[in-house]
Amino acid sequence: MHCKEYKHILSPQNGMNIYRGCTHGCIYCDSRSKCYQMRHDFEDIKIKTNAPEILERELRKKRRLCMVGTGAMTDPYIPEETEIGHTRRCLEIIEKYGFGLAVQTKSKLILRDLDLLKSINNKAKCVVQITLTTYDESLCKILEPKVCTTKERVETLKLMRDNGIPTVVWLCPLLPFINDTEENILGILRYCADAGVWGILNFGIGLTLRDGNREYFYAALDKHFPGLKEKYALKYGSSYEIRSDNSGPLMRIFSDFCSRHGIVRNVDEIFRFMREFPEKSEQTGLF
């Protein structure tokens, strides 16, 4: 870990990354890509030492309440958060000033902050997003080795449901020749229905590979799936978008399942839901 002070934390769309880098070890992680210009090893977490203070300053300047997002690039609940506590302090500030929250994670550590999530949801709106990629627990430990398993994440979704907090599942990525199967898709979808998720984000059956994450992914294939790297290289070359041959039938299964169970699957609608601050709570000139 290393530290750096920042001048700003919120993007123009009110998103924030409290840390840079991750230690979850997911073999497919796009955030490793060189295009994001990370100047340090991915596992060498950069701590934004003044993140809570900057967030409070920037929220106080806003004329209107809004949703604040976190988790798009770096999981706010990396294991180091248990020691550092920046994510909890940022949530305390969001709750204090009445803003909303859309938070994305793979970690059950989010349950530590259930009290704050409930309070934010009661005052405004809180949407918890959790990534599910793999129904098979053994495979999950290979693809996402240093984070809680799928079953633990599903239990987290259920606890959010029980506390009235809406949830969205990111059903991606689905890796060709590994977890792009009907059994895997249906297993995850049944978990989602059982947990009462509001929506499921899916961008097709496949993944993206760019310089930086491609090399890491291929090294993981060599380690865990001998011979598969060569199959990828032959079929996809240096393509950015890696689409499964099973995409058509699996997307039909996904669409049909969501329709039958009343789960929102339209990408634009889901993102709109996560960005829209509830009108009944919105006020102007507060700060």
Side-chain angles (χ1 to χ4, degrees):
M1 295 185 294
H2 64 288
C3 300
K4 182 178 179 180
E5 288 197 350
Y6 276 70
K7 294 182 179 180
H8 304 283
I9 194 167
L10 288 177
S11 73
Q13 294 76 37
N14 299 307
M16 65 176 178
N17 287 299
I18 300 167
Y19 304 106
R20 288 206 74 188
C22 187
T23 52
H24 286 337
C26 304
I27 72 170
Y28 51 73
C29 183
D30 176 71
S31 293
R32 292 180 179 274
S33 300
K34 292 179 180 178
C35 65
Y36 298 120
Q37 300 181 354
M38 192 173 294
R39 306 300 185 191
H40 55 89
D41 290 340
F42 194 67
E43 286 79 12
D44 179 17
I45 305 299
K46 179 185 287 185
I47 305 167
K48 299 182 180 182
T49 52
N50 57 340
E53 292 79 13
I54 307 172
L55 177 63
E56 183 162 22
R57 184 188 70 210
E58 293 186 348
L59 291 185
R60 284 177 61 87
K61 289 181 179 179
K62 288 191 175 293
R63 294 179 58 84
R64 298 178 68 87
L65 296 170
C66 64
M67 298 292 289
V68 177
T70 189
M73 285 292 297
T74 297
D75 196 316
Y77 289 102
I78 54 177
E80 291 78 2
E81 164 62 17
T82 58
E83 175 186 347
I84 301 164
H86 272 12
T87 296
R88 182 167 179 87
R89 287 196 288 276
C90 287
L91 265 57
E92 289 171 342
I93 293 164
I94 290 169
E95 190 272 343
K96 174 182 176 181
Y97 290 104
F99 284 80
L101 173 70
V103 54
Q104 181 180 351
T105 185
K106 286 190 180 86
S107 175
K108 65 180 180 180
L109 178 57
I110 193 174
L111 293 173
R112 178 201 65 183
D113 296 336
L114 184 57
D115 59 330
L116 287 170
L117 301 176
K118 289 169 61 177
S119 184
I120 292 169
N121 195 48
N122 289 335
K123 287 185 175 182
K125 182 167 76 174
C126 177
V127 183
V128 171
Q129 309 154 64
I130 291 185
T131 301
L132 302 179
T133 64
T134 310
Y135 179 71
D136 183 295
E137 292 287 284
S138 297
L139 182 58
C140 179
K141 291 175 183 178
I142 294 173
L143 304 185
E144 301 154 342
K146 297 178 182 179
V147 68
C148 66
T149 65
T150 298
K151 285 184 178 179
E152 291 174 299
R153 290 177 230 172
V154 172
E155 290 306 309
T156 300
L157 287 166
K158 290 179 179 179
L159 285 168
M160 296 300 164
R161 174 203 64 198
D162 293 345
N163 284 277
I165 299 171
T167 56
V168 168
V169 162
W170 289 67
L171 179 54
C172 58
L174 295 159
L175 314 177
F177 314 116
I178 297 176
N179 64 343
D180 59 336
T181 66
E182 180 175 343
E183 178 184 14
N184 185 52
I185 289 284
L186 284 174
I188 296 172
L189 289 173
R190 288 171 184 141
Y191 273 153
C192 290
D194 190 36
V197 304
W198 185 88
I200 302 176
L201 281 167
N202 178 268
F203 305 95
I205 311 300
L207 76 157
T208 57
L209 290 178
R210 293 188 267 207
D211 290 346
N213 80 313
R214 179 183 290 106
E215 292 83 352
Y216 190 86
F217 179 67
Y218 277 1
L221 293 185
D222 272 341
K223 180 178 180 180
H224 300 289
F225 308 97
L228 194 52
K229 179 184 75 174
E230 290 74 18
K231 195 171 183 178
Y232 265 78
L234 181 63
K235 184 173 180 61
Y236 300 111
S238 59
S239 297
Y240 165 64
E241 187 174 355
I242 309 300
R243 185 68 65 189
S244 166
D245 289 342
N246 302 328
S247 183
L250 293 182
M251 285 302 294
R252 286 192 290 273
I253 290 171
F254 168 67
S255 298
D256 291 346
F257 188 96
C258 289
S259 296
R260 291 198 312 272
H261 290 84
I263 300 172
V264 178
R265 60 180 173 83
N266 181 276
V267 171
D268 291 337
E269 183 178 354
I270 294 172
F271 277 115
R272 186 164 56 247
F273 172 71
M274 293 192 292
R275 291 169 181 159
E276 285 181 347
F277 190 86
E279 291 184 7
K280 64 180 181 180
S281 300
E282 190 163 7
Q283 302 176 49
T284 58
L286 289 177
F287 315 122

